[in-house]
Amino acid sequence: MKTKRLTELGLLTALALILFIIEIRLPNLVPVPGVKLGLANIITVFAVYHYKASETAMIVVCRVILGAFFGGSLMTLLYSMAGALLCLAGMLFLKRVIPESQIWLCSVFGAVLHNIGQIAVACLVLGAGMLAYLPFLLVAGCIAGAFTGGCAQLILLRESRKRKKRDA
């Protein structure tokens, strides 16, 4: 891997981690455990469309591990890793059918898959009663996914305008 590419991946990982840490410092908007905006997903959905799958996976795994180290616990690591990997797998698949111009839609599906991964781990650890949270998490995931996907969409639009100005 070239130094420039590794630097880009490191910067994206750092940015995702910063967004994650900022988010855990914000007060909860909804009193349902597990509901959050998922700001780090802005970086993930951007990387899905602009980097190789293995590079995006490195960003996600490093961010989840470091995020658990800085702001969570071992249980946070389990929930986050399960959700993040299911989300990543789903978005990598969806990238083939959802064009970059509708990246926000891929983000919505990714957020829903993230919640399903977290609930699956919660059911394994705490029992099937945790399925009661799933409807709340799915609705919140759709809203959060649309927000973070919209942010990623704005970044892509701005980036393409800068590229057009530079090339002109």
Side-chain angles (χ1 to χ4, degrees), residues 4-162:
K4 181 181 178 192
R5 191 67 158 192
L6 187 60
T7 303
E8 288 174 7
L9 295 174
L11 288 172
L12 287 172
T13 302
L15 186 55
L17 185 59
I18 289 166
L19 289 171
F20 172 80
I21 290 172
I22 288 170
E23 185 174 1
I24 63 173
R25 302 287 186 250
L26 297 174
N28 288 340
L29 301 172
V30 180
V32 177
V35 173
K36 61 181 196 160
L37 281 174
L39 296 176
N41 195 48
I42 296 168
I43 305 304
T44 303
V45 73
F46 171 81
V48 162
Y49 280 83
H50 288 271
Y51 291 88
K52 296 177 188 172
S54 60
E55 294 170 336
T56 304
M58 285 191 290
I59 292 170
V60 169
V61 169
C62 287
R63 196 259 316 148
V64 169
I65 291 170
L66 291 171
F69 178 76
F70 288 124
S73 64
L74 179 59
M75 290 310 294
T76 303
L77 178 64
L78 290 174
Y79 291 120
S80 294
M81 191 65 76
L85 292 178
L86 187 57
C87 170
L88 177 62
M91 286 196 304
L92 288 170
F93 173 76
L94 289 170
K95 172 182 143 179
R96 297 176 182 169
V97 293
I98 297 175
E100 189 174 300
S101 62
Q102 295 180 338
I103 198 171
W104 65 272
L105 188 57
C106 187
S107 180
V108 170
F109 284 113
V112 167
L113 290 170
H114 189 281
N115 289 333
I116 290 170
Q118 286 184 314
I119 284 293
V121 170
C123 287
L124 288 173
V125 173
L126 301 170
M130 297 306 293
L131 283 173
Y133 283 109
L134 188 59
F136 300 106
L137 290 178
L138 293 179
V139 169
C142 288
I143 294 166
F147 174 76
T148 57
C151 291
Q153 193 80 56
L154 289 173
I155 291 168
L156 291 173
L157 286 172
R158 188 174 179 128
E159 182 183 276
S160 74
R161 287 183 191 147
K162 284 171 90 175

